[in-house]
């Protein structure tokens, strides 16, 4: 009896790394499952990561795994399972990992944060860069480059709300972990400039499952006269996003979801690679990037007030983002992956 075929998905997630890789691979695995392709995840030992992937087969590396342990584990899985393809979605790829991948005689799909070329992948994915992708979806059959390959949650649906002249509701969301603790910092900045928010009905503060400052933030907003509402463990986050006229977020997956919904956003990147992604969108007038620097508080509130009060700018961000992000990225990507396995 033939063993069922699997694709092996290699990823890590944590408070420091964030959970974006986990969420997008879960979406991809769910999509491929609909096409009768099974997924086996190899992940680091993190309870949140394991819980998010609990509907799939999972193999776990110990928390402080070495390269040799990772290599042995992958080889063991290759011998035990009928693995037809390996998908890697890691923040960085070490030379030893790349060298090991080159020894594997199966198709390899690699998600990159920066690179648009490599010499070891049969299919390279990077939807953080434009690189001419807006005018040509078929730059190269071995590449999936640009926003048209962006993986969005299956639950997200197009936003039919139009841009209002007056902003009523604002969303603050810094991902599943917020490793730089931007949530509390932004709350304090807004509270210090509460006069600029006269007329705002509600500020929704979404705290991810790995946020370590929830109690501290609850204390901050309890002393504020602004109308904050904290949300956690939200099942339908797209509905929360659609209910807002403007957003403040990091440069991860949520940034792309807000772009797809056409919600004008200020992006504060958690790290250098998020800055790179947001900078390209900022340069195309799709969102507003605010860098972390010594004068961050002043720069942030200046940008915030400008977007809050500039109806024409918000309309422009809305129109351009809706044009670029069409929500069909996972269909295009899964089709390419399926073709690799034929």
């Amino acid at each position: 009896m033939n063993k069922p075929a699997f694709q092996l998905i290699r990823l890590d997630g944590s408070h420091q790394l964030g959970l974006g890789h986990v969420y997008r691979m879960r979406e991809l695995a769910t999509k491929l499952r609909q096409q009768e392709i099974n997924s086996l995840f190899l992940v680091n030992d993190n309870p949140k990561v394991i819980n998010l992937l609990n509907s799939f087969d999972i193999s776990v590396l110990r928390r402080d795994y070495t390269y040799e342990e990772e290599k042995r584990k992958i080889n063991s899985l290759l011998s035990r399972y009928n693995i037809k393809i390996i998908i890697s979605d890691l923040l960085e790829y070490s030379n030893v990992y790349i060298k090991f991948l080159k020894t594997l005689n199966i198709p390899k799909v690699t998600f990159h944060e920066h690179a648009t070329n490599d010499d070891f992948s049969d299919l390279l994915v990077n939807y953080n860069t434009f690189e001419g992708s807006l005018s040509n979806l078929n730059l190269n059959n071995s590449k999936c480059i640009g926003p048209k390959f962006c993986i969005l949650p299956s639950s997200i649906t197009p936003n039919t709300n139009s841009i209002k002249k007056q902003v009523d509701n604002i969303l603050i969301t810094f991902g599943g972990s917020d490793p730089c603790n931007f949530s509390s910092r932004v709350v304090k900045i807004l509270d210090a400039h509460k006069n600029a928010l006269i007329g705002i009905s509600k500020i929704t503060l979404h705290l991810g499952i790995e946020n370590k400052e929830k109690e501290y933030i609850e204390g901050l907003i309890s002393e504020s006269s602004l109308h904050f509402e904290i949300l956690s463990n939200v099942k339908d986050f797209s509905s929360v996003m659609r209910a807002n006229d403007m957003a403040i977020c990091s440069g991860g997956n949520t940034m792309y979801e807000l772009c797809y919904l056409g919600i004008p956003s200020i992006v504060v990147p958690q790290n250098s690679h998020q800055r790179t992604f947001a900078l390209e969108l900022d340069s195309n007038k799709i969102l507003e990037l605010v860098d972390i620097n010594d004068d961050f508080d002043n720069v942030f509130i200046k940008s915030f007030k400008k977007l809050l009060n500039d109806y024409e700018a918000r309309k422009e961000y809305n129109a351009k983002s809706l044009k670029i992000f069409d929500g069909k990225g996972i269909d295009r990507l899964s089709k390419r992956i399926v073709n690799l396995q034929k």
Side-chain angles (χ1 to χ4, degrees):
M1 183 176 178
N2 293 331
K3 294 181 180 179
F6 279 84
Q7 59 178 3
L8 177 62
I9 301 179
R10 175 73 186 94
L11 64 82
D12 287 336
S14 66
H15 173 70
Q16 195 59 39
L17 292 172
L19 298 172
H21 298 265
V22 184
Y23 284 115
R24 72 179 178 185
M25 285 301 101
R26 186 176 68 175
E27 289 292 336
L28 180 60
T30 300
K31 178 72 176 180
L32 292 170
R33 177 188 273 167
Q34 295 168 4
Q35 300 174 61
E36 299 184 349
I37 297 176
N38 301 306
S39 294
L40 167 64
F41 283 87
L42 176 59
V43 302
N44 60 314
D45 187 5
N46 180 285
K48 297 289 194 315
V49 172
I50 294 167
N51 184 60
L52 286 169
L53 300 173
N54 62 11
S55 65
F56 297 96
D57 291 290
I58 305 173
S59 185
V60 180
L61 290 162
R62 70 185 183 91
R63 187 155 300 189
D64 298 316
Y65 65 84
T66 65
Y67 160 69
E68 286 299 326
E69 288 172 328
E70 180 183 30
K71 179 181 175 181
R72 284 198 300 271
K73 178 70 80 170
I74 293 174
N75 280 328
S76 172
L77 295 174
L78 289 171
S79 66
R80 290 166 50 202
Y81 292 83
N82 181 21
I83 293 175
K84 297 294 188 180
I85 191 168
I86 181 168
I87 300 176
S88 302
D89 190 1
L90 299 169
L91 187 60
E92 295 178 347
Y93 297 98
S94 66
N95 290 332
V96 288
Y97 184 76
I98 292 171
K99 184 178 180 180
F100 172 64
L101 284 181
K102 288 180 177 180
T103 67
L104 302 181
N105 192 29
I106 56 174
K108 292 167 278 291
V109 177
T110 310
F111 281 73
H112 283 282
E113 301 297 308
H114 297 290
T116 55
N117 292 286
D118 70 31
D119 63 352
F120 58 91
S121 301
D122 297 278
L123 183 64
L124 181 151
V125 186
N126 184 341
Y127 54 71
N128 302 307
T129 183
F130 283 56
E131 203 184 64
S133 63
L134 300 185
S135 58
N136 184 2
L137 290 181
N138 298 301
L139 291 173
N140 188 315
N141 285 332
S142 65
K143 292 183 181 180
C144 294
I145 302 292
K148 294 299 184 183
F149 291 98
C150 183
I151 296 176
L152 298 171
S154 58
S155 60
I156 200 167
T157 55
N159 189 6
T160 57
N161 298 334
S162 59
I163 297 297
K164 297 187 293 189
K165 289 189 175 182
Q166 172 69 42
V167 172
D168 293 321
N169 300 304
I170 298 170
L171 173 66
I172 302 172
T173 176
F174 286 107
S177 60
D178 189 11
C180 294
N181 297 323
F182 287 147
S183 300
S184 58
R185 188 165 182 178
V186 168
V187 166
K188 287 188 283 188
I189 294 172
L190 295 183
D191 188 58
H193 295 269
K194 59 175 67 71
N195 289 339
L197 283 82
I198 294 173
I200 299 300
S201 300
K202 184 171 65 174
I203 303 171
T204 299
L205 178 59
H206 171 251
L207 300 180
I209 58 176
E210 276 281 302
N211 193 292
K212 306 298 185 183
E213 286 200 315
K214 185 177 181 181
E215 290 186 8
Y216 173 60
I217 293 169
E218 288 173 342
L220 289 176
I221 67 173
S222 68
E223 298 174 359
S224 174
S225 60
L226 295 172
H227 182 194
F228 284 100
E229 179 184 17
I230 291 181
L231 295 180
S232 298
N233 297 318
V234 179
K235 291 185 178 180
D236 184 8
F237 190 47
S238 63
S239 293
V240 175
M241 289 188 281
R242 279 196 299 271
N244 288 274
D245 308 305
M246 179 174 155
I248 304 163
C249 66
S250 294
N253 289 350
T254 301
M255 174 181 73
Y256 295 116
E257 293 167 27
L258 289 164
C259 286
Y260 170 70
L261 294 172
I263 298 172
S265 301
I266 292 175
V267 174
V268 185
Q270 301 269 2
N271 48 49
S272 61
H273 67 269
Q274 285 194 1
R275 181 187 184 278
T276 301
F277 313 155
L279 182 61
E280 191 144 15
L281 294 171
D282 177 277
S283 65
N284 282 273
K285 297 189 181 301
I286 295 169
L287 49 75
E288 183 86 12
L289 168 65
V290 177
D291 272 324
I292 289 294
N293 54 48
D294 293 339
D295 196 32
F296 171 75
D297 290 18
N298 290 328
V299 174
F300 173 83
I301 199 63
K302 182 179 179 181
S303 296
F304 174 82
K305 289 178 180 178
K306 182 178 182 299
L307 189 59
L308 180 69
N309 297 306
D310 193 337
Y311 170 60
E312 293 301 324
R314 285 185 279 111
K315 279 206 308 181
E316 182 180 14
Y317 288 165
N318 168 267
K320 289 190 173 182
S321 61
L322 289 176
K323 183 179 179 180
I324 290 173
F325 293 87
D326 64 4
K328 299 177 182 178
I330 197 167
D331 296 322
R332 299 183 180 104
L333 183 54
S334 61
K335 182 178 179 180
R336 299 241 185 140
I337 291 174
V338 169
N339 287 339
L340 273 180
Q341 301 186 57
K342 290 182 178 178

